[in-house]
Amino acid sequence: MLFPGFDVILFGIFFVMTEGAVQEIGAWEERKIITLLFIDVLQVVRVITSASYGWSATTSQAVRNCDIVYIFTRLVSSVIPRYSLFILAFILVSVTLLDTIYVAKLFAAGEVKKMWPVKLLRKVVSIVVTILFSSIIKWLLIPTDCLVSTVTPTFNQEIDPEGDMCNPFAMPAILFVAPMILISISYIIFALITSYLSFECNPLS
């Protein structure tokens, strides 16, 4: 634990987050929630209609082309290096974890008047955990995806064109892989805790 009573404080944070979200819902908020859920559903459908589950390549590709996040990823990858998505995911997760720790310390110190960190946490959780979970995980694993994917150029090739095509545990790739493993584990644990506490605080959320 970061400090005594951290688990109670964390529960309190999510209680405030979920209660605030319920009380402030209006027409615009409902449209935003529906849009985010729609984006999330498209990602789930893309995963379950993968060719790995017996779907035809044509069907799988057609569904992928309807996924907003997939289209965004492809467009970004065609313009800038693919590892930029890894950097984006790393930054988003880092901001989320650091903001959680900061808000927890504010609650522990009794500084409940500073609500902007809580509002920021609500936003990043809704994006990073609720909507982009599968995509964030995929982006975080970009430094090692050459082990299971044939996508080129590989992460190794992008950062060291003269080096091995796929050796994520050698220099210089290991400089990215080591923090990637740490942040990925932290992110998965955070997502599990977030989902559990959000349901405990508000089963209808």
Side-chain angles (χ1 to χ4, degrees), residues 184-194:
S184 296
I185 294 174
S186 301
Y187 173 56
I188 292 173
I189 294 174
F190 176 79
L192 291 173
I193 294 175
T194 298

Side-chain angles (χ1 to χ4, degrees), residues 154-165 172:
T154 64
F155 185 78
N156 287 76
Q157 290 176 315
E158 290 183 310
I159 64 173
D160 184 18
E162 303 300 324
D164 295 333
M165 180 177 179

Side-chain angles (χ1 to χ4, degrees), residues 14 24 27-28 32 70 91 105 122 126-127 175 178 187 193:
F14 281 89
E24 297 173 6
W28 172 251
K32 187 185 72 173
Y70 174 80
I91 292 174
K105 288 186 176 294
R122 182 190 302 167
S126 66
I127 295 173
L175 297 176
Y187 173 56
I193 294 175

